[in-house]
Amino acid sequence: MKNRFVTLMLIIMICPSTMFSQEVKTSKELSLFEFLEQARSHDPQVESVLQQTMQVNFLKKTIMPDQSLVFQVSNQYGFGIDDTRKTETWEFSATQPIVSSGTNVVASHRINKQVDRKEKVSSISLEQSLYRNAFGKRDRNLSKRLDIENEVLLLQTAEAYEDYIAVLATSYLNWNLLHLQHTATLALKNESEKLLASIQRRQRMGTALAIDVEKIELEKLGFEENELTLNKQIIQERQSIEQAILMEPGSKIVPGPLPKTLLAMDGHEMEYAFLREHSRTRKALTLSQEAGQLNVVVKESDMRPDLNAILGFSYDDSTRFTTSTDRQQLFVGFNLSVPLGNQKKKGQTMQASYQEIEASIAKRRFEKNLDIAYRNQLEQVKQAHMAVEVGLKKWNLSTAIEGKERKRYEQGRIDVQTLINARQAQSQHQFSYLSLQIELAKTMIEWLRVTDQLVASQDQILLHEKN
């Protein structure tokens, strides 16, 4: 079932249609698949949605501790106030953080020149966090949280992209419906012209009244009026199509026939258990909850005292009062920083706990509503299928009735108004059937959106390749 609806495969299975006018012969036919592909490349709104994924490239870097080697140099010159003696101090240091283990490697060299001494001390040391970021645990939790948030970002972007694709597809289907109605109107107008010519011949033969001619002329004018109205609506709807794919206004494009898969009477069921397991939104909410739990752990760690063990080696090669020093030593120690009443950290920890609870509630709420949304949308799909079947039967029946009434009129058994009523009923049922087909297609688009099958899972946001 998963493979049956993968990402707009529905769009390339084109059903034959005979309802398109002669305009198609001089215009470029734009299928739904082609429209969405072009919109993906040209629509600024699509670009804006997809642009969100770029945050993955910098989100983690902006929050994680910097792992770069830090080189520092400082210099001081001292000038005596009561005498002319000068002092000069230079200090060089390099610090390399190792985030994964919570370790800092520090190397330094200090030179202090005075009148009676010249101090030169070099050292290298390791500073290891033992409590707040014990052996890098706090930063590893932060890194894991940010990785999860990046994955959530990709999933949310795919959801936003899918939602907008559904909007574009609906706009295309509205445009498609107007063209179908326009084509049907032209066909009905042509039939009226033929019928009018036939009745005019009968009038000349004395077998039809002048009022019959006038009534058919009025019917023909009604179809011409509908044609003008539809032309105006098509131009308005086409503007949104042209804007999405950056085509010149007034381009000669017409919609292609409806995809077969959007009108298929079966094959749309999906196991609810499978949907629940693979729902993109549910996965994002689950990951958001995990990220929230890790965020609480990180914020709690930030409230702890910062205790670091220090282990190092130093070399003193100084000269003091003409006495040289050549001393090497190992040293151990610690530094301790204790926050006292840090209200900001407490507030951040409380905020993290609140956000984690909210994520948990959102996940449970979504799981509760997913089953309802799934079954409601599935029922709407089934109802739309049945409506199309009924609409087709009514159109076929009204077409058969119109044919019989025409024969009865030609035999003089009914008046022209009865024939016109049958023709109007036939046209109404035809328009209704076309509208029901489009509504079914829209319902299927929404079904695919609800079940995360409208865009591809590959790279989260890409359409499947056209076969």
Side-chain angles (χ1 to χ4, degrees), residues 226-241:
N226 288 343
E227 181 186 359
L228 293 173
T229 301
L230 286 168
N231 282 335
K232 182 179 179 180
Q233 293 174 342
I234 287 173
I235 292 173
Q236 293 174 343
E237 195 67 42
R238 190 176 61 199
Q239 288 178 352
S240 62
I241 302 297

Side-chain angles (χ1 to χ4, degrees), residues 277-296:
E277 181 67 23
H278 295 85
S279 166
R280 195 184 296 118
T281 300
R282 181 180 180 275
K283 185 177 181 180
L285 291 172
T286 300
L287 291 173
S288 294
Q289 184 179 3
E290 293 177 10
Q293 293 168 348
L294 288 170
N295 193 34
V296 171

Side-chain angles (χ1 to χ4, degrees), residues 109-285:
H109 180 66
R110 181 168 55 86
I111 301 173
N112 185 9
K113 295 180 181 180
Q114 300 184 22
V115 174
D116 53 2
R117 69 188 68 183
K118 182 179 181 181
E119 297 179 350
K120 292 192 296 182
V121 179
S122 301
S123 68
I124 183 169
S125 63
L126 297 177
E127 296 183 6
Q128 177 62 56
S129 178
L130 299 178
Y131 193 38
R132 176 182 294 179
N133 186 27
F135 300 98
K137 184 176 180 180
R138 182 262 185 198
D139 288 343
R140 288 196 300 274
N141 284 331
L142 177 60
S143 176
K144 185 177 179 181
R145 188 201 93 190
L146 295 173
D147 287 337
I148 292 175
E149 289 180 355
N150 278 337
E151 189 172 354
V152 171
L153 175 63
L154 293 175
L155 290 169
Q156 290 175 340
T157 301
E159 282 292 285
Y161 176 54
E162 185 173 58
D163 291 344
Y164 189 63
I165 285 295
V167 171
L168 289 176
T170 299
S171 178
Y172 177 94
L173 291 173
N174 290 334
W175 180 50
N176 196 312
L177 174 60
L178 292 173
H179 268 273
L180 292 174
Q181 291 176 336
H182 181 267
T183 303
T185 299
L186 289 179
L188 292 168
K189 186 183 74 170
N190 290 336
E191 286 296 317
S192 289
E193 291 174 348
K194 293 177 182 178
L195 182 58
L196 177 61
S198 174
I199 293 178
Q200 286 174 336
R201 286 195 300 269
R202 295 185 62 192
Q203 182 190 18
R204 290 193 295 269
M205 297 170 59
T207 58
L209 302 175
I211 193 173
D212 292 350
V213 174
E214 293 170 349
K215 287 182 177 181
I216 295 301
E217 286 180 338
L218 184 62
E219 180 194 60
K220 176 176 172 290
L221 290 173
F223 288 132
E224 289 178 353
E225 184 179 34
N226 288 343
E227 181 186 359
L228 293 173
T229 301
L230 286 168
N231 282 335
K232 182 179 179 180
Q233 293 174 342
I234 287 173
I235 292 173
Q236 293 174 343
E237 195 67 42
R238 190 176 61 199
Q239 288 178 352
S240 62
I241 302 297
E242 292 169 342
Q243 290 171 359
I245 58 179
L246 295 184
M247 291 192 72
E248 292 294 329
S251 303
K252 290 188 176 182
I253 54 173
V254 295
L258 289 176
K260 278 185 176 180
T261 311
L262 287 184
L263 304 177
M265 304 302 288
D266 56 12
H268 47 260
E269 291 85 356
M270 170 190 280
E271 289 294 335
Y272 175 69
F274 177 85
L275 172 62
R276 187 178 184 277
E277 181 67 23
H278 295 85
S279 166
R280 195 184 296 118
T281 300
R282 181 180 180 275
K283 185 177 181 180
L285 291 172

